[in-house]
Amino acid sequence: MSLKNFKEALIEKIIFLSGIASIILVILIFIFLAKEGLSLFKSVHLGDFLLGRRWHPISEPPQFGVLPLILGSLFVTLGAAVISVPMGIASAIYIAEVAPPRMKEILKSGIELLAAIPSVVLGFIGMTTLVPFVKHHLNLPTGLTAFSGSVMLAFMAMPTIVSIAEDALTAVPQKYKEAALALGATRWQAIHRVILRAASSGIVAAVMLGIGRVVGETMAVMMITGNAVRMPTSLFQPVRTLTATIAAEMGETVRGSAHYHALFAIGIVLFVITFVINLIADWAVHRKLK
Amino acid sequence: MKGIIETQDLNLFYGEFQALKNINLAVRRKTITAFIGPSGCGKSTLLRSFNRMNDLIEGVRMTGRVLIDGNDIQNSHTDLVTLRKKVGMVFQRPNPFPLSIAENILFGPQIHRTAKKDEYEQIVEESLKSVLLWDTLKDKLDRNALNLSLEQQQRLCIARLLPVKPEVLLMDEPCSALDPVATERIEDLMRVLKENYTIVIVTHNMQQAARVSDDTGFMLLGELIEFHRTEMIFTNPVDQRTSDYITGRFG
Ligand SMILES: Nc1ncnc2c1ncn2[C@@H]1O[C@H](COP(=O)(O)OP(=O)(O)O)[C@@H](O)[C@H]1O
Ligand SMILES: [Mg+2]
């Protein structure tokens, strides 16, 4: 075998091994997560875990109800979605279809910059500006609320939503727009009746990936949402999310204890949620009109 | 008034480049008018000046007048929506919307609010019948229009214009993406549509112009060299350049 062929074969092997390694790693992580998390259900009922309204992991006897945490995550996520989805899609439309070329460049760089801010920095800024603002202007006992978290997370979801939705809109062939305008459509009619619909699968994917980012976010949420474990009833209360719970409590658990397994079980819940969101995104991308 | 479309000393520039030079013509109502000429001579540009689609291109400048039904459409009061309802356009590559067949046809009536919901079914049926697609597609109205054959797509693009009730149909090389059989069938369709519409077609296919049109204009490098009855252009052209072109000596 010549040296060249040998090199080719070697490179091929290395690429193959890297590909396999990532799959094996995922499988190992998954097995670990399942093993540590599912152990909880030797001592706790699945129903009590998912629907239990009390999370008191260190009282005697401990209670491992994650419903308040699931609802905490849900409130914060929905709040963030309500803010970031319409704004994100509107910005994407503006950038892709309306903005003059220079404005477009400026906005796109702005969005990239926003994406580049580490979440802990955003959390810190939120803590020092948004939290007092919310407390003061909404006249609340504390600004550390689900609402503040939603606003903060909306900022994190925006770059993802805007950039992916903008790509989807830009990818719609110009000829559809021409056809619409030639039929006497106004620019807005062309956008919302043809371009948005042609790009709809990309836009759904953008939204789902944005939401996925929000669900998984930990640091900023922990800094801003107040972390009170209780059944949330309004957006303007402190809440605790699934992610924040794991991050806050992992350090103080005894390895192998029920609490330790419960945190892994929360990990599984998060995994399932994210998985479903990705599944929807995937379905949206591949969905086609017959 | 001589024609439904008239141009008077029409000049058009893309930046510094002059694409149309002093065009004067009149298109007769309910006839088929063809513009022929080598590629790049300005046929599409001329066609797009009839419904102001050139407005979409940056850096376009025009002088002279384009009259539709005697109204100067160049002036700034012209309502583009009204103009484009009256002057519909079929493009070179079929461009149905990536929506269902029915939605394609209903696009016009919906944006212009010219029909009520209970009339939709009938509109779809009539439009598809006009382009002879009804029998093949009547059970597939909710299918994606992009799955049709190219010929069917082009027919659908014509059908899509009809409920808007245009008077003029502009067609820019409507058959260039089609095979000869499909081309012939679209030409038959044009002869049928001529009963009710004024058709202006651009083609680089001389035989097509000879087959379907009543009047023919020959263009070269942005100039309208000759504009006459089709038989005259093809049997007894006035200008030497026309005769060179139709006998295939260049282009
Ligand atoms: N958007 C444009 N910008 C600059 N030049 C153009 C543009 N469109 C067409 N042209 C030029 O104008 C001339 C006429 O083009 P066109 O009307 O498309 O010709 P035809 O349809 O006869 O092939 C060509 O030389 C072409 O290069
Ligand atoms: Mg052309």
Side-chain angles (χ1 to χ4, degrees):
Chain A
M1 198 196 308
S2 74
L3 188 62
K4 192 169 167 204
N5 281 345
F6 175 72
K7 255 168 113 180
E8 290 280 318
L10 188 68
I11 290 172
E12 209 170 286
K13 278 277 175 324
I14 292 175
I15 293 174
F16 172 75
L17 285 178
S18 320
I20 286 292
S22 60
I23 294 176
I24 291 177
L25 221 60
V26 168
I27 293 174
L28 286 179
I29 290 174
F30 189 74
I31 292 174
F32 183 73
L33 185 65
K35 179 172 145 290
E36 299 290 347
L38 294 179
S39 302
L40 176 73
F41 302 113
K42 285 182 212 146
S43 52
V44 180
H45 272 292
L46 180 62
D48 291 343
F49 174 72
L50 285 179
L51 300 177
R53 304 164 133 257
R54 273 174 234 281
W55 176 262
H56 295 313
I58 45 177
S59 52
E60 214 28 75
Q63 288 177 296
F64 296 112
V66 291
L67 193 59
L69 311 179
I70 292 179
L71 288 180
S73 282
L74 195 73
F75 271 49
V76 173
T77 305
L78 283 184
V82 166
I83 300 168
S84 62
V85 169
M87 270 177 70
I89 294 177
S91 322
I93 292 174
Y94 180 72
I95 294 175
E97 296 295 330
V98 185
R102 250 195 85 75
M103 192 62 178
K104 198 175 190 147
E105 286 316 308
I106 295 174
L107 283 174
K108 284 178 84 161
S109 325
I111 298 288
E112 266 161 43
L113 218 58
L114 188 58
I117 302 176
S119 71
V120 65
V121 174
L122 264 183
F124 189 55
I125 295 173
M127 217 158 85
T128 52
T129 60
L130 179 67
V131 168
F133 182 88
V134 167
K135 173 178 157 66
H136 187 72
H137 288 273
L138 299 179
N139 220 351
L140 299 171
T142 171
L144 297 166
T145 62
F147 175 73
S148 316
S150 295
V151 173
M152 224 48 240
L153 287 178
F155 276 105
M156 288 183 208
M158 281 278 278
T160 309
I161 297 179
V162 176
S163 59
I164 297 177
E166 197 255 326
D167 284 345
L169 290 168
T170 309
V172 174
Q174 198 63 21
K175 63 180 184 179
Y176 299 142
K177 191 164 146 190
E178 276 197 342
L181 296 177
L183 274 160
T186 61
R187 180 153 74 168
W188 170 241
Q189 285 172 329
I191 290 172
H192 93 107
R193 285 186 179 265
V194 179
I195 299 176
L196 273 181
R197 290 196 52 189
S200 63
S201 47
I203 292 174
V204 174
V207 167
M208 285 302 148
L209 291 171
I211 291 179
R213 166 115 211 253
V214 169
V215 174
E217 172 54 35
T218 309
M219 206 56 218
V221 180
M222 206 152 82
M223 293 164 82
I224 286 183
T225 55
N227 297 314
V229 185
R230 62 163 180 226
M231 293 292 284
T233 51
S234 115
L235 268 181
F236 301 99
Q237 289 174 339
V239 295
R240 172 90 82 82
T241 64
L242 293 164
T243 49
T245 306
I246 299 178
E249 297 178 9
M250 200 41 113
E252 56 195 52
T253 60
V254 181
R255 204 185 158 116
S257 66
H259 187 193
Y260 171 88
H261 291 307
L263 293 184
F264 275 99
I266 291 180
I268 296 178
V269 172
L270 266 172
F271 174 81
V272 170
I273 293 174
T274 323
F275 186 73
V276 169
I277 290 173
N278 284 343
L279 220 56
I280 296 175
D282 208 52
W283 165 82
V285 169
H286 296 290
R287 171 184 61 128
K288 283 255 152 67
L289 200 64
K290 283 179 294 331
Chain B
M1 187 193 318
K2 284 194 308 193
I4 184 167
I5 304 174
E6 282 181 46
T7 67
Q8 297 173 353
D9 300 329
L10 177 64
N11 290 283
L12 186 143
F13 303 81
Y14 290 116
E16 293 301 301
F17 176 75
Q18 183 163 10
L20 295 179
K21 297 175 184 160
N22 232 27
I23 308 279
N24 287 286
L25 57 83
V27 171
R28 293 184 292 148
R29 211 175 277 271
K30 297 195 179 166
T31 59
I32 300 180
T33 300
F35 289 98
I36 59 171
S39 158
C41 67
K43 305 180 295 292
S44 299
T45 304
L46 179 63
L47 205 65
R48 285 200 309 265
S49 69
F50 297 156
N51 65 347
R52 284 191 47 185
M53 284 300 276
N54 286 321
D55 287 20
L56 301 183
I57 301 167
E58 209 136 320
V60 170
R61 193 163 56 77
M62 286 176 72
T63 64
R65 305 214 292 166
V66 177
L67 308 174
I68 304 284
D69 262 343
N71 298 312
D72 185 356
I73 61 163
Q74 271 329 110
N75 86 42
S76 53
H77 309 298
T78 302
D79 178 24
L80 284 184
V81 172
T82 315
L83 171 66
R84 288 174 183 162
K85 276 167 78 176
K86 193 161 176 172
V87 184
M89 184 166 226
V90 177
F91 295 77
Q92 188 165 355
R93 308 227 110 241
N95 57 357
F97 300 124
L99 308 174
S100 75
I101 291 165
E103 284 171 310
N104 266 278
I105 297 203
L106 293 172
F107 184 85
Q110 282 173 344
I111 59 171
H112 299 307
R113 301 216 171 81
T114 47
K116 297 197 202 70
K117 275 216 167 71
D118 55 359
E119 297 168 317
Y120 284 177
E121 250 176 74
Q122 194 194 345
I123 289 175
V124 171
E125 181 173 342
E126 278 173 8
S127 307
L128 286 176
K129 274 185 176 156
S130 313
V131 296
L132 312 177
L133 274 181
W134 176 249
D135 290 329
T136 20
L137 296 187
K138 64 178 174 227
D139 300 320
K140 304 176 185 166
L141 297 176
D142 59 348
R143 296 280 185 88
N144 189 337
L146 299 188
N147 292 340
L148 299 175
S149 73
L150 281 178
E151 181 204 341
Q152 289 174 327
Q153 289 189 17
Q154 197 61 302
R155 281 174 187 269
L156 180 64
C157 289
I158 298 171
R160 175 172 71 177
L161 297 174
L162 305 182
V164 177
K165 302 200 167 56
E167 293 175 30
V168 180
L169 301 178
L170 305 175
M171 301 189 177
D172 192 349
E173 307 200 21
C175 302
S176 66
L178 308 182
D179 62 51
V181 179
T183 299
E184 197 175 313
R185 289 202 294 249
I186 296 276
E187 287 173 8
D188 289 339
L189 174 61
M190 294 197 305
R191 289 188 196 98
V192 174
L193 292 173
K194 183 173 100 167
E195 302 285 313
N196 298 307
Y197 304 93
T198 306
I199 297 177
V200 183
I201 177 177
V202 157
T203 173
H204 62 240
N205 174 341
M206 276 181 285
Q207 288 75 33
Q208 181 167 55
R211 282 192 302 261
V212 299
S213 70
D214 302 292
D215 294 338
T216 297
F218 170 60
M219 297 182 69
L220 192 60
L221 298 172
E223 279 181 76
L224 183 60
I225 304 294
E226 190 166 346
F227 186 69
H228 283 126
R229 293 293 138 85
T230 299
E231 317 121 54
M232 177 154 168
I233 292 273
F234 282 95
T235 55
N236 191 14
V238 174
D239 196 287
Q240 183 60 37
R241 289 167 293 183
T242 314
S243 102
D244 286 351
Y245 183 73
I246 59 166
T247 52
R249 244 166 275 170
F250 70 86

